[in-house]
Structures are given as C-alpha cells and as structure tokens.
Amino acid sequence: ERGYEVVLDRTAFYPEGGGQPCDLGTLRETDAVPGGEWPERSESVENAAEVLDVQEAGGEVVHICSRAFSTGSRVHGIIDWRRRIACMREHSGEHVLSGIICRSYGCSNIGFHMGKDFVTVDFSRRLTDEEIAAAQEAANRKVMEDVEIRAWYPDEKTLETLEYRSKKELEGQVRIVEIPGADVCACCGTHVRRTGEIGPIRVIGKEHYKSGIRLNLLIGEKALADYGEKSAEAAKISA
C-alpha cells in the first residue's frame, strides 16, 4: 500500500527530485507549543509515523507515512541523517566532477541519478580514459582544498549575466550552487558546506550512452567501502 499522505506547513524533508532520492525518517505528534522548544525524544512512540516516501505534488511537499494524523496536529520531524548526509556528499561530489568535466572538455551534463549502489552521470560527448582520469584527479584535489560550497538565489539581473550549468530552461527564482574553481550550477538538491566533507570521488565504470558517455561514480562512504573491499581482495590474492 502507498500509505497516508501528510502535508505540513513547513518541513525539512527533501522530496525526490533533480536526480536525488527523498529523505526518510519519522514524524511524531508532539505537545510542543508554537515558538517553544521542541522535545527531542519525549514524544510517544505510539504517536510516531514512519516516513516511507516524500514527493512534490501541486507545489506542496507530500510525506507518505505509515499512519494518518488528524488535521491540525503538531508533529516533530526526524530525518534519517545517515541517509541525508550520504546523499549530500554524493550530490556535492557529482557537482565537483561534472563541473570540472564540462569546463575542461566542452561538454554538457545531460543526466544524473543517485542510485542505491552508485551515482550515474551522463555527458553529451565521449571521453577518453585519460580525460576521465585527469578529471577524477582534479575533483579529488578540489575535495582536499576544502573550499566552501555556496548555495544562493541571484536576482534577475545577476542571473542574466551569470554563466551556469542547467539541464533545462528555467523561469522565476533560480537557486545556484557554486563551488569555486569547479562548478556553477542551477540545483535544488542538498549539499555539504565544504568540499572536504565529500570524501573520495571514484569513477568505477563507463559505457556509451546515446552520442556521449555514462559514468558510474562512488562517492564518500561508498568509495571508502569499495576501497577497503578491493584492498582486502588484493591482499588475499597476493597471499
């Protein structure tokens, strides 16, 4: 079953979109008063609902929950932080690598998806192994520089003169994510504050996609886990 649709007056849960999966977590009914402090864990578990999915529909963020709430209920949202921070690292790491590739090799990022096992990114032209390796090295250098990642909303006049990446024509207010020396891109996703929080960025596979190329990436925790696994396998084989 799909579950119960819950709409709040404000939320920190990210709805699926822009290639990024949604946040998961829980909503708990609370007696906290408006403007007062939110109790951290004092709400009854019986009054909690698991957030199974989050989607945007009709301009609203819809939480698909395991139980219903009465209209007017006050709830305290708790996001699955391990999932969120992993998504933030992956999305930020993809920006670093994609920005560098698009700047260096004159191509466009035409697709992006954060999957369960790895991130896929599609580019408009084929890339050589040497170009991919150079971009990966430059991306990891940018991580080690630990530069600030800025998310901002330029005014209309500034936006007209700003050179930024975007997969589609945009109207109205545009959110820009900027990584100095790597990327300037229109993006609605969640990101870490500094590149040093991303961790390693590794290209683990490539395939032809339309007239361009699709790269498979491991970023952050997944890249570290893969490195540990490969290192253990190499040690076992050499022994």
Side-chain angles (χ1 to χ4, degrees):
E1 293 183 3
R2 177 173 167 80
Y4 298 90
E5 296 186 356
V6 177
V7 175
L8 308 175
D9 64 341
R10 57 181 178 158
T11 182
F13 280 79
Y14 181 83
E16 181 182 10
Q20 180 174 330
C22 68
D23 283 322
L24 301 178
T26 57
L27 294 180
R28 298 170 184 242
E29 282 195 82
T30 177
D31 295 327
V33 297
E37 291 188 5
W38 292 94
E40 286 193 20
R41 298 284 177 182
S42 62
E43 305 91 339
S44 169
V45 175
E46 288 76 25
N47 292 334
E50 186 179 357
V51 178
L52 308 169
D53 190 13
V54 186
Q55 297 290 328
E56 188 175 3
E60 293 182 317
V61 176
V62 181
H63 309 72
I64 310 303
C65 296
S66 59
R67 55 151 287 203
F69 292 96
S70 301
T71 302
S73 299
R74 290 188 66 79
V75 297
H76 181 198
I78 302 170
I79 289 172
D80 179 344
W81 180 247
R82 289 187 65 180
R83 175 184 171 92
R84 162 66 82 88
I85 189 66
C87 287
M88 290 163 68
R89 289 185 175 125
E90 288 186 343
H91 206 152
S92 301
E94 180 272 329
H95 271 251
V96 172
L97 184 68
S98 291
I100 287 170
I101 286 176
C102 291
R103 284 183 177 202
S104 302
Y105 307 128
C107 58
S108 299
N109 176 327
I110 56 174
F112 161 62
H113 177 70
M114 293 165 62
K116 180 175 177 289
D117 298 317
F118 49 80
V119 174
T120 61
V121 193
D122 303 326
F123 295 98
S124 59
R125 83 160 178 86
R126 306 269 169 92
L127 299 169
T128 67
D129 290 345
E130 291 75 18
E131 288 172 334
I132 294 170
Q136 177 181 266
E137 183 181 347
N140 283 287
R141 279 202 306 269
K142 185 57 64 176
V143 169
M144 289 186 287
E145 287 175 16
D146 192 30
V147 300
E148 182 181 4
I149 298 177
R150 181 189 181 202
W152 56 298
Y153 295 88
D155 57 43
E156 189 175 343
K157 187 175 180 180
T158 303
L159 193 64
E160 288 176 358
T161 59
L162 189 67
E163 288 189 19
Y164 63 94
R165 294 193 299 118
S166 179
K167 298 183 188 69
K168 58 184 180 180
E169 290 294 323
L170 300 172
E171 295 181 355
Q173 193 175 51
V174 176
R175 181 174 184 257
I176 296 293
V177 172
E178 183 175 359
I179 304 170
D183 194 28
V184 180
C185 183
C187 180
C188 63
T190 61
H191 296 272
V192 293
R193 293 181 178 178
R194 305 187 68 88
T195 58
E197 298 176 60
I198 294 170
I201 300 171
R202 292 193 56 228
V203 180
I204 60 164
K206 61 183 175 67
E207 59 186 282
H208 293 322
Y209 179 75
K210 297 182 179 179
S211 60
I213 194 169
R214 170 171 289 175
L215 301 183
N216 298 331
L217 315 178
L218 291 178
I219 300 168
E221 293 93 336
K222 291 176 184 175
L224 285 173
D226 183 71
Y227 174 79
E229 185 180 314
K230 296 288 196 305
S231 181
E233 289 175 356
K236 188 186 295 184
I237 291 168
S238 64

